[in-house]
């Protein structure tokens, strides 16, 4: 989702490839008055961090506060920051996925998990806990409801992205 | 998968789609000897066992007949569609998928052995036909026609469902195969029969429900060919045939079926004679034929049922063929108006041949299937069926009209010299394949009366036979029937020759006979009613709308909550809670008093964070986390939006401020009451000990998460689905106005419709 290594847009002929463009790939499309170096630098730093936090929240959700919804919200916050700092173009660079695809994939995953329960054990949304014992690592219990959680995560990100894209629609013109 | 294919392979994917009904057709053919020998296959799958609902499916002789038609003609139509849609690229996947679903639903009707299963399949065909006729809803005409078909068939479909329920309760079973043994009778059954017949009449476009069918001609030709020849409209007559063994003796059944059927046959034939559009002519012809089928399949004698089964096959073959022929003419000549066509017969002898063969079957010339059916029909009403000579006279009149409009069709489509100026693209060979197969099938099957007899008599045997057993044959010896049959042809040809002189009569008679006006009035009336409700319930401005919604919530909740009494609140667990609550209160007051929106938003965010702190203090970290994240998200979104909103607007409401305050205060009071009532509940909810007990083994020690993703996963799934729908809808609405420049774009259907409804209101 993060496009830090991406060379970014080839550049607007008006502004050229200023060094600042490397900070946020889409930000140079904004009016100079709307830009804030502080905010852009902050977004550049915080967005990857937010992704890490989201991953942490997702994994830790089994034992502590967190889970798919919270993780999705944190991913959404990261995107929101990019939108606020770099404008709609930068949001596009940060998340190329179509929100509809995210929503659909998430719903399909969550519903598919439910149906898989029917097929495998006869009960809707029935899950079990897989006891994993990988080499070199300590044994680990992985509940199959993780799949469901991933679906929720995708939907949450999709909704946030949808809202942000919608807000940005008029700026795009 | 199906939706995806056309984008990869274009119209050719219709050929791949045709494999599915084609395979089903072959399978059904293989099963045919066993089914006719009386070995009916049945399955019964529990559906909702608590309600005693079962999915009962059974392949018997009658179901086999319809399923063969539906899959066979379905496969051919799909093959045809590959060429028909050759130049179109958009919405093909949709059309293809809906057609396949349609075939499936029709097979469902054919094999359903449970009234309620049949109803589900029935309504599925209604939905599919709506989608197919609307064809994406890109033209107003298509939308109107689709709505008409939907209104005519769903409204009566509900009547039919009610009839099914009454009948099933009275008979003690919903199994169709068990109905005949139960012999339901009595006043309730009489009512049920009327309701069921209303549904069947509407689906099969009988008088007075017929207008939706010609209107549906705006759909692409493969769709109309399939809907109106082989499939959906057959559902009504099929239902009548299905229930005739059990219900034909019930009081209003025979008079209703025979009278309505004959009226439909004569009206359809007469109206067909006056058409100038080939497709509409065929549509009225279909109405006439459906009336004929209704009479035969509902009459309740063995001979009539044999005639009905034969005509069912004949009609599917010749009418599908003719529709496909018209589609090719339309494609190749660019018109299907009789006045504009000339010389088609000279340009495409193959097309002419197909049409002649199909028409020969339609008017009942030997040795086509139509001939066998018509002879049997005349025999049935000549001897013993309900109505006797009167019904026989009606059938003869209907057949005379059939001959006349068939002549008009052939002459209108094919006659005349080939004008060099006339536009004509020669159709590719594959395009012609489907009509050729259908036309030849009519002749080939007609030459096998014994086998055909075997097929249709298996079902007809369930009905009483007052005379000597009738068998299909090409020659029964000289009798009144032969005289009538020959007379019908002669008079029909004569009528065709003079029909032009009847044109003024046509104009006058056609007027009152159409119920199109009534149908449209119903549609317009419901739209107006909706607009009225919309105007009186919905406010135009968002704040008013919100106020009304909130007020409704307050009133409804208060009715429930206030009688419970106001519980005495438990002050606090730790003094910190009081501190935080005081902060939140102060923040709320600030939000109300601050004049700048941005500041108000900031303070509102702070209040939200304080609420999260309350959650933490109460020992609900999960809740607190989500509250914090949502609060942050909404706050930043808020700021993003406020940057774009005109500053003063939201705060400048000179009037109604007092009312607003009242609504707000009452809502606040209500929420307080709700919280207090909830908090004063000391009984633990029943499942909570189980949750706590079981959760560690079940996914993780975090009970909240386990509840969300395990115990209450279905709730979560439901909520998440709502979220997806809401997000998509909101994004769609907002994007529509911002992307396309909102009200300035006059071509945008959405804005136009909004304007219309405003004006109506």
């Amino acid at each position: 989702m993060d496009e830090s290594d991406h060379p970014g847009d080839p550049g607007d002929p008006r502004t050229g490839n200023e060094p600042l463009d490397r900070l946020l790939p889409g930000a140079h499309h904004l009016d100079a008055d709307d830009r804030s170096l502080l905010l852009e630098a902050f977004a550049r730093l915080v967005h990857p961090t937010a992704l890490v936090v989201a991953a942490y929240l997702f994994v830790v959700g089994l034992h502590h506060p967190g889970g798919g919804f919270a993780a999705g919200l944190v991913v959404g916050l990261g995107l929101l920051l990019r939108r606020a700092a770099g404008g709609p173009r930068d949001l596009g660079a940060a998340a190329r996925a179509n929100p509809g695809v995210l929503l659909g994939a998430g719903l399909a995953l969550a519903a598919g998990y439910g149906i898989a329960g029917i097929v495998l054990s006869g009960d809707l949304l029935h899950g079990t806990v897989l006891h994993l014992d990988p080499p070199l690592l300590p044994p680990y219990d992985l509940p199959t409801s993780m799949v469901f959680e991933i679906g929720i995560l995708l939907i949450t990100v999709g909704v946030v992205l949808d809202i942000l894209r919608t807000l940005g629609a008029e700026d795009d013109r | 998968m199906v939706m995806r294919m056309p984008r990869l392979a274009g119209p050719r994917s219709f050929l791949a789609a045709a494999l599915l009904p084609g395979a089903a057709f072959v399978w059904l053919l293989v099963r045919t000897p066993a089914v006719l020998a009386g070995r009916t296959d049945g399955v019964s799958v529990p559906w909702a066992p608590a309600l005693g609902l079962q999915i009962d499916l059974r392949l018997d002789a009658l179901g086999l007949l319809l399923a063969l038609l539906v899959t066979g003609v379905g496969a051919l139509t799909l093959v045809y569609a590959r060429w028909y849609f050759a130049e179109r690229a958009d919405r093909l996947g949709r059309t293809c998928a809906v057609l396949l679903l349609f075939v499936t639903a029709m097979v469902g009707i054919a094999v359903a052995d449970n009234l309620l299963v049949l109803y589900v399949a029935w309504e599925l065909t209604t939905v599919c036909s709506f989608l197919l006729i609307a064809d994406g809803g890109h033209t107003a005409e298509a939308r109107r026609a689709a709505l008409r078909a939907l209104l005519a068939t769903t409204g009566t479909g509900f009547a039919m469902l009610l009839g099914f329920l009454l009948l099933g309760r009275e008979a003690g079973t919903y199994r169709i195969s068990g109905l005949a043994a139960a012999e339901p009778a009595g006043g309730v059954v009489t009512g049920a029969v009327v309701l069921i017949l209303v549904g069947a009449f509407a689906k099969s476009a009988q008088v007075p429900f017929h207008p939706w069918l010609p209107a549906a001609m705006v759909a692409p030709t493969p769709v109309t060919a399939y809907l109106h020849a082989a499939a959906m409209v057959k559902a009504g007559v099929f239902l009548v045939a299905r229930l005739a063994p059990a219900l034909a003796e019930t009081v209003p059944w025979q008079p209703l079926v025979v009278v309505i059927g004959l009226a439909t046959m004569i009206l359809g034939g007469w109206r067909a004679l006056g058409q100038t559009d080939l497709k509409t002519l065929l549509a009225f012809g279909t109405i006439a034929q459906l009336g004929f089928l209704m009479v035969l399949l509902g009459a309740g004698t063995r001979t009539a049922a044999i005639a009905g089964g034969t005509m069912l096959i004949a009609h599917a073959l010749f009418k599908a063929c003719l529709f496909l022929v018209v589609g090719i003419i339309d494609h190749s000549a660019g018109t299907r108006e009789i006045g504009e066509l000339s010389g088609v017969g000279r340009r495409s002898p193959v097309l002419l041949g197909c049409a002649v063969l199909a028409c020969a079957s339609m008017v009942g010339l030997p040795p086509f299937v139509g001939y066998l059916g018509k002879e049997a029909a005349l025999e049935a009403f000549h001897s013993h069926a309900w109505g006797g000579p009167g019904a026989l006279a009606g059938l003869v009149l209907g057949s005379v009209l059939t001959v006349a409009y068939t002549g008009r069709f052939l002459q209108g489509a094919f006659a005349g010299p080939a004008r060099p100026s006339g536009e004509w693209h020669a159709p590719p060979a594959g395009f012609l394949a489907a009509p050729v197969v259908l036309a030849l099938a009519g002749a080939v099957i007609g030459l096998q009366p014994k086998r055909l007899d075997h097929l249709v008599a298996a079902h007809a045997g369930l009905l009483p036979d007052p005379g000597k057993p009738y068998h299909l044959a090409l020659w029964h010896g000289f009798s009144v029937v032969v005289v009538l049959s020959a007379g019908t042809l002669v008079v029909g040809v004569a009528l065709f020759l003079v029909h032009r002189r009847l044109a003024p009569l046509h104009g006058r008679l056609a007027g009152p006979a159409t119920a199109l006006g009534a149908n449209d009035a119903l549609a317009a009336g419901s739209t107006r009613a909706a607009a009225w409700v919309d105007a009186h319930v919905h406010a135009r401005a968002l704040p008013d709308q919100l106020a009304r919604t909130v007020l409704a919530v307050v009133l409804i909740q208060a009715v429930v909550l206030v009688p419970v009494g106001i519980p005495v609140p438990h002050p606090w667990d730790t003094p910190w809670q009081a501190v935080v609550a005081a902060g939140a209160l102060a923040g709320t007051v600030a939000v109300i008093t601050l004049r700048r929106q941005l500041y108000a938003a900031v303070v509102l965010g702070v209040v939200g964070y304080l609420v999260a702190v309350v959650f933490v203090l109460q020992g609900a970290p999960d809740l607190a986390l989500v509250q914090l994240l949502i609060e942050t998200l909404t706050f930043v979104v808020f700021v993003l939006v406020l940057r774009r909103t005109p500053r003063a607007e939201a705060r400048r409401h000179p009037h109604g401020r007092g009312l607003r305050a009242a609504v707000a205060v009452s809502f606040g009071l209500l929420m307080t009451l709700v919280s207090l009532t909830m908090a004063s509940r000391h009984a633990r909810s029943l499942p909570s000990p189980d949750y706590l007990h079981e959760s560690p083994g079940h996914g993780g020690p975090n009970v909240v998460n386990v509840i969300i993703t395990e115990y209450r996963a279905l709730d979560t799934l439901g909520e998440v689905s709502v979220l997806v729908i809401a997000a998509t809808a909101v994004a769609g609405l907002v994007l529509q106005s911002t992307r396309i420049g909102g009200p300035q774009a006059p071509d945008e259907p959405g804005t136009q419709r909004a304007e219309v409804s405003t004006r109506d209101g």
Side-chain angles (χ1 to χ4, degrees):
Chain A
M1 211 162 280
D2 188 18
E3 295 287 334
S4 54
D5 295 332
H6 197 274
D9 290 13
D12 195 308
R14 278 175 300 145
T15 53
N17 261 332
E18 294 166 22
L20 272 182
D21 291 349
R22 300 214 186 107
L23 212 49
L24 291 183
H28 61 271
H29 290 280
L30 289 178
D31 285 343
D33 294 345
D34 282 351
R35 297 183 69 174
S36 150
L37 177 60
L38 195 65
L39 196 56
E40 281 177 32
F42 183 67
R44 172 78 283 165
L45 282 173
V46 169
H47 184 218
T49 319
L51 292 180
V52 174
V53 172
Y56 169 77
L57 280 176
F58 182 77
V59 174
V60 94
L62 299 173
H63 300 264
H64 302 286
F69 185 58
L73 287 177
V74 174
V75 174
L77 276 173
L79 293 174
L80 181 59
L81 197 56
R82 293 285 294 266
R83 168 70 179 77
R89 297 292 180 100
D90 190 51
L91 179 71
R96 307 210 155 201
N98 182 346
V101 173
L102 285 178
L103 290 172
L107 198 57
L109 211 57
Y113 170 72
I115 293 164
I118 297 185
V119 175
L120 296 178
S121 71
D123 275 336
L124 182 68
L125 290 158
H126 188 272
T128 60
V129 179
L130 301 176
H131 300 283
L132 301 178
D133 198 356
L136 300 178
L137 293 168
Y140 187 69
D141 284 351
L142 186 70
T144 52
S145 58
M146 277 301 230
V147 177
F148 190 71
E149 288 270 5
I150 295 174
I152 308 268
L153 170 79
L154 288 178
I155 289 173
T156 315
V157 177
V159 169
V160 176
L161 196 57
D162 215 357
I163 294 169
L164 293 179
R165 282 269 173 92
T166 313
L167 288 177
E170 62 196 292
D171 293 2
D172 270 347
R173 278 184 301 142
Chain B
M1 212 27 205
V2 177
M3 293 294 285
R4 194 76 197 167
M5 273 189 313
R7 242 181 273 167
L8 301 177
R12 237 166 297 169
S13 50
F14 277 107
L15 293 181
L19 289 176
L20 203 67
F25 180 73
V26 171
W27 183 84
L28 287 164
L29 272 187
V30 172
R31 296 289 312 159
T32 302
V35 172
L36 294 183
R39 272 177 286 141
T40 44
D41 289 339
V43 288
S44 192
V45 184
W47 176 13
L51 298 172
L53 281 177
Q54 293 216 313
I55 300 180
D56 301 311
L57 304 176
R58 182 164 162 272
L59 186 63
D60 64 351
L62 182 65
L64 178 79
L65 191 64
L66 184 70
L68 278 173
L69 288 180
V70 164
T71 51
V73 179
L76 286 172
T77 313
L78 282 166
V79 169
Y80 174 89
R82 178 249 174 276
W83 278 278
Y84 185 85
F85 289 121
E87 281 143 36
R88 198 167 106 171
D90 64 322
R91 306 202 299 277
L92 282 189
R94 188 176 169 285
T95 309
C96 191
V98 180
L99 266 173
L100 275 182
L101 184 64
F102 195 98
V103 175
T104 315
M106 281 308 299
V107 172
I109 289 184
V111 300
D113 189 29
N114 182 309
L115 290 172
L116 299 172
V117 174
L118 190 140
Y119 174 76
V120 171
W122 181 282
E123 287 304 314
L124 201 55
T125 63
T126 303
V127 173
C128 289
S129 83
F130 174 75
L131 293 174
L132 286 171
I133 296 172
D135 192 32
H138 287 258
T139 66
E141 197 190 356
R143 283 200 300 269
R144 223 176 9 246
L147 196 63
R148 241 177 226 162
L150 189 74
L151 277 178
T153 49
T154 44
T156 52
F158 284 132
M160 189 183 83
L161 176 63
L162 186 61
F164 280 171
L165 293 174
L166 290 174
L167 180 65
R169 213 188 53 177
E170 207 64 11
T173 176
Y174 285 100
R175 286 194 83 119
I176 296 170
S177 53
L179 279 178
E183 284 187 0
V188 176
V189 175
T190 301
V193 161
V194 174
L195 288 170
I196 293 172
L197 284 179
V198 164
F201 288 161
K203 196 73 156 188
S204 278
Q206 305 289 302
V207 170
F209 303 103
H210 64 284
W212 71 263
L213 205 154
M217 288 296 130
V218 294
T221 296
V223 170
T224 47
Y226 192 54
L227 282 184
H228 306 129
M232 188 174 92
V233 294
K234 287 275 195 301
V237 289
F238 175 80
L239 179 68
V240 167
R242 182 55 108 193
L243 296 176
L247 298 177
E249 302 294 320
T250 323
V251 176
W253 177 284
Q254 281 167 333
L256 256 182
V257 166
V258 172
V259 171
I260 296 277
L262 284 176
T264 308
M265 186 178 184
I266 293 166
L267 179 87
W270 173 251
R271 297 268 284 132
L273 200 53
Q275 300 306 316
T276 57
D277 179 302
L278 288 177
K279 218 169 153 186
T280 317
L281 192 158
L282 287 181
F284 278 106
T286 299
I287 292 178
Q289 293 288 333
L290 287 169
F292 190 22
L293 287 169
M294 187 62 79
V295 173
L296 296 177
L297 290 168
T301 66
R302 182 176 173 276
T303 313
I306 287 184
T310 312
M311 280 312 297
L312 198 68
I313 299 174
H315 178 248
L317 295 177
F318 66 67
K319 196 49 74 66
C321 175
L322 290 177
F323 270 121
L324 298 185
V325 164
V326 169
I328 295 177
I329 293 177
D330 196 4
H331 233 249
S332 300
T335 178
R336 37 173 218 255
E337 276 294 317
I338 285 177
E340 296 169 22
L341 286 168
S342 183
V344 173
R346 276 166 224 276
R347 281 184 161 129
S348 179
V350 181
L351 217 50
L352 175 64
C354 287
V356 167
L357 289 183
C359 285
S361 185
M362 184 148 84
V363 299
L365 284 179
F368 294 92
V369 191
Y371 165 74
L372 296 172
K374 201 182 68 176
E375 297 293 296
L378 293 175
E379 173 66 33
F381 281 85
H382 169 57
S383 52
H384 293 284
W386 190 93
L392 187 63
L395 282 187
V396 169
L397 178 56
S399 303
V400 166
L401 288 167
T402 306
V403 175
Y405 75 70
T406 307
R408 177 162 170 76
F409 172 79
L410 275 180
Q411 190 203 28
F414 295 101
R419 275 186 237 139
S421 60
E423 180 193 3
W424 181 261
H425 311 282
F431 205 10
L432 292 167
V436 168
V437 170
L438 286 166
L440 291 179
V444 171
I445 298 174
L447 287 168
Q448 310 270 338
K450 283 228 159 53
R451 291 189 183 187
L452 192 59
D453 187 65
H454 196 43
L455 181 63
V456 294
H459 166 71
L462 299 173
L463 290 155
D465 189 8
K468 67 176 169 55
Y470 182 87
H471 290 285
L472 293 175
L474 286 171
W475 181 247
H476 281 104
F478 200 75
S479 70
V480 184
V481 169
V482 178
V483 176
L484 279 177
S485 192
T488 305
L489 287 173
V490 172
V491 180
V493 170
L495 180 62
F496 162 63
L497 292 176
V498 301
H499 84 271
R500 273 174 212 284
R501 295 203 203 130
L502 297 176
L505 193 63
H506 238 237
R508 240 180 310 143
L509 282 190
T514 163
L516 205 63
N519 205 336
D520 284 350
L522 182 69
S526 39
T527 314
R528 252 199 307 282
W532 185 87
V533 171
D534 180 66
H536 286 78
V537 174
H538 279 185
R540 293 277 166 256
L542 185 63
D544 293 347
Q545 181 70 57
L546 267 176
R548 287 177 194 211
T549 312
V550 167
L551 205 59
V553 171
V554 170
L555 289 177
I556 294 168
Q557 301 269 24
V559 171
V560 183
L561 273 180
V562 169
V564 175
I566 298 169
V568 183
H570 164 68
W572 53 70
D573 292 327
T574 64
W576 285 112
Q577 286 175 334
V579 176
V580 176
L585 270 178
T588 313
V589 172
V591 170
I592 300 170
T593 46
L594 278 170
R595 302 305 283 182
R596 288 285 301 270
Q597 280 179 320
L598 201 59
Y599 298 160
V602 172
V603 179
L604 195 61
V606 172
V607 173
Y609 287 139
L610 287 174
V611 172
V613 175
V614 173
F615 289 150
V616 171
L617 290 173
Q618 199 69 34
D622 264 292
L623 212 52
L625 175 69
V626 172
Q627 167 77 17
L628 275 176
L629 292 173
I630 289 277
E631 200 57 53
T632 314
L633 204 62
T634 40
F635 169 64
V636 185
V637 169
F638 217 154
V639 172
L640 276 178
V641 174
L642 285 184
R643 269 202 324 187
R644 302 264 152 207
T645 330
R647 187 180 297 166
E649 200 180 2
R651 297 254 153 178
R652 197 191 52 205
H653 275 289
H655 57 88
R657 222 181 141 82
L659 183 72
R660 253 164 242 273
V663 170
V665 168
S666 60
F667 190 63
L669 284 175
L670 178 82
M671 280 299 138
T672 312
L673 189 60
V674 168
S675 320
L676 289 177
T677 314
M678 286 298 178
S680 69
R681 269 188 51 184
H682 290 297
R684 273 193 172 177
S685 55
L686 283 177
S688 55
D690 294 342
Y691 285 165
L692 291 172
H693 182 69
E694 270 198 37
S695 62
H698 225 282
N702 182 351
V703 187
V704 176
N705 225 345
V706 172
I707 290 174
I708 291 175
T709 59
E710 287 281 337
Y711 299 120
R712 312 296 301 272
L714 192 58
D715 292 5
T716 313
L717 189 59
E719 286 155 12
V720 158
S721 312
V722 171
L723 196 63
V724 170
I725 294 166
T728 310
V730 169
L733 283 174
V734 176
L735 286 180
Q736 172 138 348
S737 62
T738 49
R739 258 198 209 135
I740 315 167
Q744 294 101 310
D747 293 330
E748 186 51 36
T751 52
Q752 243 177 3
R753 225 174 298 144
E755 277 169 22
V756 169
S757 68
T758 325
R759 223 179 294 136
D760 283 353

